[in-house]
Amino acid sequence: MTRVRVDLNISLDGFATTTDQTPENPFGDDWGRLTRDYTATRTFRQRVLHDATGQGTTGVDDAYAERYFAELGAEIMGAGMFGLHANPDDPDWRGWWGDEPPFGFPVLVLTHAPRPPIVFANGTEFHFLTATPAEALARARELAGGRDIRVGGGAETVRAFLRDGLVDDLHVAIVPILLGRGVRLWDDLRGLERDYSVTSEAAESGVVHTTFRRGI
């Protein structure tokens, strides 16, 4: 059965985005702080950096990183996650991930300025469309082949799917840092937990992995 999943890193004060980006540093130093324990895992190094040395952490954080990539057939992301906010006028922009994006399945990019699809040799396909969350999810189900669908981000896109009740599994990695500004995941989602079973697990890094699941 296809499940709709979200995995996000957030700060102790609930922010899922950072605000210190510059043209010279498009991710900003705070993004590295927010994701450092995920990017240190063996799974991330293998799947995203194509590092076959076996290096990287292998504890609780890595177990959640493995789940992040498992059983997926399609992904939905906002234009910002694909990088269109930083490259709006570049028709040759192909995303942040180079010639081997870490997907291997269709990815729907929500945007007000649709572009032709981009197809990579490893099976990744980026499709650009203007759609509501429900419309995008219906299209993703057609592409997913019965496997799970991940709503990858950014935070505003995730919040739209949560507000519409479309997410089955929400995993947040709560990182022990304070950001103080950005987009807060939980705003306007009062009472969200009532529809889910909630569990938490602490990692060796100090990250607390909290998972909201429903329908199981």
Side-chain angles (χ1 to χ4, degrees), residues 46-104:
Q46 290 174 343
R47 291 295 300 263
V48 181
L49 303 181
H50 311 295
D51 179 356
T53 66
Q55 295 182 357
T57 61
T58 58
V60 172
D61 289 325
D62 190 54
Y64 281 90
E66 288 182 351
R67 295 178 199 175
Y68 177 82
F69 290 103
E71 301 300 327
L72 288 170
E75 175 148 345
I76 302 168
M77 66 174 62
M81 184 173 173
F82 184 77
L84 291 181
H85 67 299
N87 303 273
D89 300 318
D90 182 357
D92 297 322
W93 175 251
R94 292 164 64 85
W96 306 105
W97 303 277
D99 290 331
E100 293 187 54
F103 303 101

Side-chain angles (χ1 to χ4, degrees), residues 11-211:
S11 63
L12 280 175
D13 44 350
F15 292 101
T17 67
T18 57
T19 59
D20 64 336
Q21 296 85 350
T22 66
E24 297 75 26
N25 186 3
F27 290 99
D29 292 334
D30 282 345
W31 185 252
R33 297 171 62 218
L34 188 63
T35 61
R36 65 190 174 196
D37 300 297
Y38 166 59
T39 59
T41 64
R42 182 172 61 186
T43 296
F44 176 89
R45 294 180 66 89
Q46 290 174 343
R47 291 295 300 263
V48 181
L49 303 181
H50 311 295
D51 179 356
T53 66
Q55 295 182 357
T57 61
T58 58
V60 172
D61 289 325
D62 190 54
Y64 281 90
E66 288 182 351
R67 295 178 199 175
Y68 177 82
F69 290 103
E71 301 300 327
L72 288 170
E75 175 148 345
I76 302 168
M77 66 174 62
M81 184 173 173
F82 184 77
L84 291 181
H85 67 299
N87 303 273
D89 300 318
D90 182 357
D92 297 322
W93 175 251
R94 292 164 64 85
W96 306 105
W97 303 277
D99 290 331
E100 293 187 54
F103 303 101
F105 45 72
V107 180
L108 302 180
V109 181
L110 302 179
T111 174
H112 296 297
R115 297 182 171 206
I118 303 172
V119 179
F120 291 83
N122 71 347
T124 301
E125 301 176 3
F126 290 108
H127 300 269
F128 303 87
L129 72 161
T130 301
T132 67
E135 290 168 345
L137 184 55
R139 176 61 177 144
R141 290 187 190 278
E142 294 175 357
L143 298 171
R147 297 168 73 88
D148 288 352
I149 298 165
R150 180 172 61 210
V151 181
E156 294 284 11
T157 298
V158 167
R159 291 176 69 247
F161 278 78
L162 288 170
R163 283 196 303 269
D164 288 355
L166 300 175
V167 176
D168 299 307
D169 300 291
L170 167 64
H171 160 243
V172 289
I174 305 170
V175 183
I177 63 172
L178 297 172
L179 291 177
R181 59 188 182 182
V183 177
R184 198 190 308 269
L185 175 63
W186 307 121
D187 287 352
D188 302 321
L189 294 174
R190 176 181 171 84
L192 175 76
E193 74 283 353
R194 289 195 292 265
D195 295 327
Y196 296 87
S197 298
V198 184
T199 59
S200 293
E201 183 177 10
E204 300 87 345
S205 61
V207 172
V208 176
H209 295 272
T210 298
T211 303

